[in-house]
Amino acid sequence: MTKIEYPWFKKEDTNAFFSLLQNNLANFALLVVVMLGMGFSPEIVFGRMVIGAAIAVALGNFYYAHMARRLAQKEGRTDVTALAYGISTPVQFIYQIVITGAVLGATDNHELAWQIGIAACFLGGIIECLGSVIGRWVRAVLPRAAMLGALAGVAFTFIAGEMFFKTFADGGLVAPTVGAIALTIIVVGLIAKTKMPFRFPAALLAIIVGTVVAYLTKVADVSTISNATEGIGFYMPTPHFAVFEGLKLLFTDYSHLLAVILPISVYNFVETMNNVEAVAAMGDDYDVREAQIVDGAGTMIGALFGGILPTTVYIASAGSKEMNAGRGYSILNGIVFLVAAVFGIVGAVAEIIPLPVIAPILVYVGIVMVSNAFMKSPHRHAPAVALAMIPYFANYLSTRFNAGAPEVVANVSEAIVPLAQGAMFTALLWGAIAVFLIEKDYIKATVASLFLAGFSFIGLIHSARLTYYIEDFSSMQAQFFIGYLLVAGICLAFKFLDTDANIPHDKSIDA
């Protein structure tokens, strides 16, 4: 092992810091707005939920900075980038609305709803830690194109796509000029890699210029600044052992919620694995098992301090790597969020900076993820990447439109909602099947098809809830199960029908 000087902070960390800051800030803002809107008191929201999430984010970022230093020393490199870490965005909606919100709606008891919320979060962390046992094996078995393609589906729809919309308008705030200015600076500075005037960090410049223009053009209301200070105060981090009372309730009166917690926790475990793989494709090969344990432990610690949201290695990790960041951006994010949470500044900052100014940074992160999914996979596997992206298009349509206009979604296709359920697993396995078929490995394609059949049978995919058996074989879930069995049969048949299957493929053409 060569002793090197791995810097605490370098100039490239600045852009990555603001990128990760805005990513987490958007999630914290969503937490504050939604939970206050549900009637939770500021004491619960700022003194427990925000504090718990901030402690988890801080500890995770500090640890990933430590992991980066270890990897740098091990490989004798100074260009190692720490994994980005924060609140799991897709899972956040489930924990806030489907779990905590559902209990509140049934009981009208905010304290009880919070107890169930932190218990669900704690249990999710346990599941992710347990999942680390098979993390390395899953990473070794699943093709890179399948993992990166599934991530690209999330990046294209929920990150790049939705944030592109919000760049030009959000919640009644129509800001095409403001958003376009911020987006242009991001594209010029981070994608085209043009140096900013006075070497100013592009992300910071986009935020400053965009915010100033928003207030000068009255797109943003100046009164927002004074209103944003209402949540500022001092909130002492305090352990809440109510999590254990919540766990008792979760396994008794509220055991029906386990059918939601189990699959969404498995999703979080897979998300960590995929994001670690994305960074490995760019040169920083971290231990996926260690990352899954860190994510699970961070989620559990956050729950003990009152947080209701799980944490994970961020999809933004690849964006940070693309910016050539080190470990400083991770350390600084941990410090900033911890301090901001203790003094109630998180909500204030989120209110002052308009979302159309923040959104372009996340558009960039999404673009990088989609691009890398194709560029970092073998060229032959590009169709598998594209196929793995599609289930998340269904997930996006269902998540965003099915509750308000189910008939419109059904008119497009009745398959959208079941395809949205368990989309991560569907994406991973269909992407894997495509890769195996491209490589004429029909046995592996058959096994992947059987996994799809098994997952659909128990309701992990294509079903709103977990089941032990299929009651109605005319249902959509049953048809998926039967269909996947037939897919497995077809893949197996081609093992014997394809006379070219045993001819070794010249992989040099993939370079």
Side-chain angles (χ1 to χ4, degrees), residues 65-406:
H66 165 68
M67 279 182 67
R69 179 183 177 279
R70 278 201 346 243
L71 183 62
Q73 294 293 347
K74 176 183 176 182
E75 299 186 355
R77 297 190 291 122
T78 58
D79 61 344
V80 173
T81 300
L83 294 168
Y85 181 78
I87 295 170
S88 179
T89 305
V91 178
Q92 176 171 0
F93 298 98
I94 303 297
Y95 276 82
Q96 283 188 223
I97 298 170
V98 179
I99 298 175
T100 308
V103 175
L104 178 63
T107 64
D108 198 29
N109 186 327
H110 290 84
E111 189 72 20
L112 178 62
W114 168 73
Q115 283 186 2
I116 298 297
I118 60 175
C121 189
F122 190 85
L123 181 59
I126 293 175
I127 293 171
E128 178 147 18
C129 286
L130 293 176
S132 68
V133 175
I134 62 170
R136 291 175 184 168
W137 175 80
V138 173
R139 183 183 175 192
V141 169
L142 280 176
R144 174 168 286 180
M147 290 189 282
L148 297 188
L151 270 185
V154 181
F156 179 72
T157 52
F158 287 94
I159 300 179
E162 182 152 306
M163 289 300 108
F164 188 76
F165 303 150
K166 293 184 182 298
T167 294
F168 301 98
D170 175 66
L173 183 64
V174 180
T177 304
V178 172
I181 291 172
L183 180 59
T184 302
I185 295 173
I186 292 297
V187 172
V188 171
L190 298 183
I191 295 180
K193 300 188 184 303
T194 302
K195 291 181 180 178
M196 296 290 101
F198 308 107
R199 297 185 178 273
F200 214 74
L204 178 57
L205 184 63
I207 292 170
I208 293 174
V209 172
T211 302
V212 170
V213 171
Y215 284 102
L216 288 178
T217 58
K218 298 185 178 180
V219 167
D221 192 343
V222 178
S223 64
T224 304
I225 298 176
S226 58
N227 294 337
T229 61
E230 293 178 0
I232 292 179
F234 180 77
Y235 302 92
M236 174 66 72
T238 306
H240 298 280
F241 297 104
V243 67
F244 300 109
E245 183 62 32
L247 284 170
K248 291 179 184 177
L249 293 170
L250 201 53
F251 282 94
T252 53
D253 297 348
Y254 296 91
S255 60
H256 62 281
L257 291 175
L258 295 176
V260 177
I261 297 168
L262 176 60
I264 204 65
S265 299
V266 173
Y267 164 86
N268 219 31
F269 147 82
V270 173
E271 184 181 22
T272 296
M273 177 186 69
N274 283 359
N275 291 330
V276 170
E277 180 62 25
V279 175
M282 302 176 76
D284 291 345
D285 194 6
Y286 287 102
D287 183 354
V288 66
R289 178 181 296 173
E290 184 176 4
Q292 287 165 332
I293 291 173
V294 172
D295 287 1
T299 296
M300 292 163 64
I301 293 171
L304 283 172
F305 280 88
I308 63 168
L309 302 180
T311 49
T312 185
V313 170
Y314 255 4
I315 196 171
S317 297
S320 300
K321 182 64 180 175
E322 184 74 16
M323 297 175 196
N324 297 316
R327 57 174 167 167
Y329 86 102
S330 186
I331 296 171
L332 191 56
N333 257 280
I335 294 172
V336 166
F337 271 98
L338 192 56
V339 173
V342 169
F343 292 99
I345 301 171
V346 171
V349 174
E351 285 289 321
I352 292 171
I353 303 174
L355 186 55
V357 176
I358 298 172
I361 300 176
L362 303 182
V363 172
Y364 163 76
V365 170
I367 289 172
V368 169
M369 289 307 305
V370 175
S371 301
N372 279 324
F374 288 97
M375 292 190 297
K376 301 301 182 181
S377 300
H379 294 174
R380 282 167 53 82
H381 298 170
V385 173
L387 180 60
M389 291 174 63
I390 296 174
Y392 260 91
F393 179 55
N395 187 272
Y396 182 81
L397 293 176
S398 178
T399 303
R400 294 297 182 259
F401 305 113
N402 192 58

